[in-house]
Amino acid sequence: MKKKFKVDLLGEAIDFMESLDNKAREKIYYNIRKAQVITDPKLFKKLNELIWEFRSKFNKN
């Protein structure tokens, strides 16, 4: 499938991702990859022209 957009993580986001346990981190990366090919408003929403908010739940967090 063709990706609809490219994802660039800020340094703070990378630090946050590295602070998570492996399963939570993999779930978030999975949802990011999924959002790139499938439009799902539960996973992400547009905050402004350049910034999108990703949402991901893992173990009710």
Side-chain angles (χ1 to χ4, degrees), residues 15-37:
D15 292 343
F16 170 74
M17 294 295 285
E18 290 176 353
S19 75
L20 299 173
D21 65 69
N22 286 337
K23 287 186 178 186
R25 183 174 35 251
E26 287 304 314
K27 173 73 177 202
I28 292 170
Y29 283 131
Y30 168 81
N31 283 338
I32 290 171
R33 289 189 300 271
K34 182 178 175 182
Q36 287 179 297
V37 295

